């Protein structure tokens, strides 16, 4: 699917909030940013961070909004987001920024809002991971938008429908859509749903510097198949 067709496909999804999946189309987070009138900011401080494992954490919003009622008033739940980014572990340690707030320019905040719409989530990501790195808040969130902007995801994650998916098929799609990614680059995290079935709640994508890497500290608790919840 060409870039233009991908953007048009994503636009229909954003307008209707639901549609039927067609083929093996990929959902790129970049398309979401472009359609919302934003642009991915260029990396300016990648060299400032040490080379090492980084983990981009993506949440399956409908599943978490349903499984965790305390999230019901979060913006992504109220506005029907299909997925959001919850943070980027830069590999420098955790919880260094207690009490600190990330300061972003209005333009960058507009960009970051598209994939991290909740203020509390952004603050927690900065305090837990970003503040431990030598990056400023601006450069930390720029890293997030750059990783998210380049990542392609299986179409089932954004249709608004619910599916039962084989883990092998899902991971296979991820590796086919993203050049250089191996099955070891993806860690899938599930929770038990109301029918005692495993529901996908988080996708962790691991990097070594700017390239895909093998995940460490793997959870991988989804089993051989799981449900992708579209909120229906």
């Amino acid at each position: 699917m060409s870039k233009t067709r991908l953007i048009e496909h994503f636009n229909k999804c954003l307008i209707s909030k639901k549609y039927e999946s067609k083929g093996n189309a990929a959902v790129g987070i970049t398309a979401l940013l472009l359609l919302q009138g934003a642009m991915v900011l260029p990396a300016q401080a990648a060299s400032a961070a040490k080379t090492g494992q980084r983990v981009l954490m993506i949440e399956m919003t409908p599943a978490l909004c349903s499984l965790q009622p305390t999230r019901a008033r979060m913006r992504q739940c109220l506005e029907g987001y299909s997925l959001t980014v919850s943070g980027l572990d830069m590999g420098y340690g955790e919880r260094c920024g207690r009490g600190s707030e990330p300061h972003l320019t209005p333009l960058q905040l507009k960009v970051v809002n598209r994939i991290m719409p909740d203020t509390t989530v952004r603050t927690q990501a900065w305090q837990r991971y970003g503040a431990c790195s030598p990056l400023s808040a601006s450069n930390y969130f720029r890293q997030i938008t750059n990783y998210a902007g380049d990542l392609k995801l299986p179409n089932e994650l954004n249709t608004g429908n619910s599916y039962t998916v084989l883990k092998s098929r899902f991971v296979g799609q991820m590796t086919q859509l993203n050049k250089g990614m191996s099955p070891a680059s993806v860690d899938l995290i599930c929770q038990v749903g109301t029918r005692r079935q495993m529901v996908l709640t988080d996708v962790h994508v691991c990097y070594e510097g700017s390239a895909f890497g093998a995940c460490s500290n793997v959870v991988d608790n989804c089993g051989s198949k799981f449900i992708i919840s579209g909120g229906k």
Side-chain angles (χ1 to χ4, degrees):
M1 176 175 287
S2 69
K3 182 177 180 181
T4 301
R5 290 182 61 196
L6 172 59
I7 292 175
E8 290 173 350
H9 182 71
F10 211 145
N11 192 34
K12 291 177 182 178
C13 173
L14 291 173
I15 292 172
S16 66
K17 296 295 183 183
K18 60 182 178 179
Y19 62 91
E20 295 297 324
S21 176
K22 297 180 180 180
N24 292 320
V27 172
I29 300 179
T30 299
L32 177 59
L33 300 176
L34 291 171
L35 285 166
Q36 301 277 344
M39 58 187 293
V40 177
L41 301 178
Q44 294 180 354
S47 60
K50 70 178 182 181
T51 300
Q53 184 164 107
R54 304 175 186 180
V55 182
L56 182 69
M57 292 165 278
I58 302 167
E59 293 185 339
M60 304 297 101
T61 309
L64 286 168
C65 293
S66 174
L67 293 170
Q68 300 180 13
T70 56
R71 290 174 170 254
R73 301 303 300 174
M74 294 176 71
R75 180 180 168 188
Q76 52 259 47
C77 296
L78 295 173
E79 297 184 9
Y81 280 67
S82 58
L83 53 89
T84 50
V85 174
S86 62
L88 175 68
D89 185 347
M90 298 286 291
Y92 288 95
E94 295 186 9
R95 305 186 188 282
C96 304
R98 184 176 181 180
S100 63
E101 297 289 334
H103 297 291
L104 305 177
T105 66
L107 174 59
Q108 189 174 19
L109 183 59
K110 183 178 181 180
V111 174
V112 176
N113 265 335
R114 304 308 184 241
I115 54 174
M116 301 181 76
D118 188 82
T119 301
T120 300
V121 171
R122 293 195 301 271
T123 299
Q124 289 177 343
W126 167 249
Q127 292 177 350
R128 184 168 186 176
Y129 303 113
C132 296
S133 77
L135 302 182
S136 66
S138 177
N139 285 323
Y140 172 70
F141 285 98
R142 185 172 288 116
Q143 293 286 310
I144 290 178
T145 57
N146 287 336
Y147 279 128
D150 289 337
L151 186 67
K152 295 180 177 64
L153 301 173
N155 193 54
E156 287 92 339
L157 295 179
N158 202 54
T159 65
N161 297 315
S162 295
Y163 302 86
T164 297
V165 179
L166 291 174
K167 175 188 171 183
S168 58
R169 177 178 179 273
F170 183 88
V171 174
Q173 284 183 294
M174 290 282 292
T175 58
Q176 289 175 10
L177 294 169
N178 296 279
K179 184 177 180 180
M181 177 184 285
S182 73
S185 303
V186 183
D187 185 17
L188 303 179
I189 301 171
C190 290
Q191 292 184 26
V192 179
T194 55
R195 298 182 180 179
R196 309 305 297 172
Q197 296 172 300
M198 299 305 288
V199 179
L200 182 67
T201 58
D202 301 83
V203 176
H204 289 183
V205 180
C206 302
Y207 300 83
E208 292 290 337
S210 60
F212 293 110
C215 295
S216 58
N217 302 317
V218 172
V219 178
D220 189 26
N221 66 339
C222 292
S224 62
K225 62 182 179 180
F226 52 85
I227 292 174
I228 293 176
S229 175
K232 299 176 185 177

